[in-house]
Amino acid sequence: MQSKYKISLLRANLLAAAVALCLWTPTAAPGAALLLWLSIGWLLITALTLDFSHRRSRGLPWQMLAGTLLLGLIAVAPERHALLIWAWGAVFMLPQHRWAAIFNGCAALVSCFIILPLMSLPEWLLLTLALGILSLLAMARTHQLLHMNGTIRQRLRLIPGLNLWAGEQLLRDLMREQTRSEREAIYAEVLVIHVRRHQLWQVAQKLCEITYDFENVYRLNSTTLATLMLSRTASEAARRRTLLLAALPDNALAKHKPLMDIELELLTLDALSRYPESALREAL
């Protein structure tokens, strides 16, 4: 199942928000202008470096940075930036840890008190109520999407606690890792191993044990496994491959191929499962 999350659309929205903030800078006071330019820089950097990856740490407090900048913009010039109070709804749509959500919730409440002198009490109560409902809906929707994604990924993980995944996950990982290899000059290769049916789960568990924690093993069918190995150089990959294959049964068949040499657009699980062509001793 292909991801429906459109990174290009999110990038366009971030750039549009940066342009909108640029229009406020000419007439802003020095303090407000500084925060505006910091916010613009953050939006531009986030848009240009946007890349979703399973290796990105979810503990990084970048959601708190967004909340801090938004609170600062409202605080330095509430009469000019009061409209930004509604941007808290977008902040709460970001996946974040509970402690980050608590911080942003407190910051949103402080923002409401900052703009209190600018309106009557009934207007302020209505605004606060509407913003609270909007924020709760945003967090509920984000939690639902994260739960759905986690359920899907859990179904693809074949053995709890092991990095053994269904073959469909490999097709997604290949696309991401090929882009990553080009950007970071990492040597990546796909190793496909064909074993007898009764050996599959034993060999799969062994592969999970001898590969790195950030490398996954994939079950392509009842007799074929694959792993995506990441190394600094091709020579290092060859040494790792020799050690890895030496731990497998002698009757296994194996073939490796550099990730950059694979045409991902036409690749299917059936084509991957037919990769092994040489005996294990020849692959070594």
Side-chain angles (χ1 to χ4, degrees):
M1 183 180 66
Q2 191 172 5
S3 174
K4 296 181 180 179
Y5 197 91
K6 305 300 183 182
I7 294 179
S8 58
L9 180 59
L10 177 58
R11 181 179 287 112
N13 288 332
L14 291 173
L15 292 175
V19 172
L21 292 182
C22 284
L23 299 178
W24 277 359
T25 56
T27 58
L34 176 61
L35 279 174
L36 282 171
W37 282 115
L38 287 175
S39 302
I40 293 168
W42 180 81
L43 289 169
L44 290 176
I45 293 173
T46 303
L48 295 176
T49 61
L50 192 63
D51 179 31
F52 287 88
S53 169
H54 66 293
R55 295 184 192 175
R56 183 182 297 275
S57 172
R58 296 182 181 179
L60 294 176
W62 67 280
Q63 302 94 342
M64 293 176 59
L65 176 60
T68 301
L69 290 173
L70 181 56
L71 174 61
L73 285 173
I74 296 174
V76 295
E79 66 285 349
R80 297 182 74 249
H81 302 156
L83 186 62
L84 292 176
I85 195 73
W86 299 109
W88 284 111
V91 171
F92 287 113
M93 290 182 67
L94 300 172
Q96 52 197 288
H97 283 290
R98 181 176 301 175
W99 52 269
I102 293 174
F103 173 85
N104 286 328
C106 294
L109 184 61
V110 172
S111 299
C112 290
F113 280 107
I114 289 174
I115 65 173
L116 175 58
L118 303 178
M119 57 185 66
S120 63
L121 182 60
E123 292 176 337
W124 181 83
L125 290 175
L126 182 60
L127 180 144
T128 304
L129 178 62
L131 181 61
I133 294 174
L134 178 64
S135 300
L136 289 176
L137 290 175
M139 288 189 291
R141 180 58 176 169
T142 300
H143 178 76
Q144 181 184 16
L145 292 176
L146 289 175
H147 178 72
M148 291 172 57
N149 183 65
T151 301
I152 293 172
R153 288 184 60 84
Q154 187 62 30
R155 289 175 180 174
L156 291 174
R157 187 188 288 270
L158 302 182
I159 300 179
L162 290 181
N163 288 335
L164 180 61
W165 300 81
E168 290 79 7
Q169 183 65 34
L170 174 59
L171 297 179
R172 286 189 286 271
D173 290 349
L174 288 177
M175 184 69 70
R176 178 178 57 244
E177 293 300 338
Q178 191 174 81
T179 303
R180 186 184 183 91
S181 297
E182 291 177 344
R183 185 178 65 245
E184 301 182 10
I186 296 174
Y187 180 83
E189 69 176 27
V190 178
L191 178 64
V192 181
I193 301 170
H194 188 83
V195 297
R196 293 179 180 177
R197 191 182 301 269
H198 70 276
Q199 297 175 317
L200 181 78
W201 298 107
Q202 179 183 357
V203 174
Q205 184 172 358
K206 185 64 176 180
L207 283 174
C208 291
E209 293 174 355
I210 60 182
T211 52
Y212 293 138
D213 292 339
F214 55 81
E215 294 175 335
N216 295 332
V217 178
Y218 308 89
R219 176 186 179 273
L220 304 186
N221 56 40
S222 60
T223 59
T224 309
L225 298 165
T227 184
L228 179 60
M229 298 198 307
L230 306 176
S231 305
R232 294 184 181 89
T233 62
S235 58
E236 179 183 332
R239 290 192 297 271
R240 289 194 57 211
R241 185 171 62 250
T242 300
L243 294 174
L244 186 148
L245 294 179
L248 301 183
D250 293 337
N251 60 357
L253 301 176
K255 183 175 179 63
H256 66 278
K257 191 167 186 179
L259 179 57
M260 302 307 297
D261 295 343
I262 299 178
E263 296 291 339
L264 299 182
E265 293 77 9
L266 304 177
L267 189 64
T268 63
L269 288 179
D270 184 59
L272 272 172
S273 65
R274 294 198 300 268
Y275 264 29
E277 297 172 354
S278 59
L280 179 59
R281 59 179 179 273
E282 298 175 4
L284 291 171

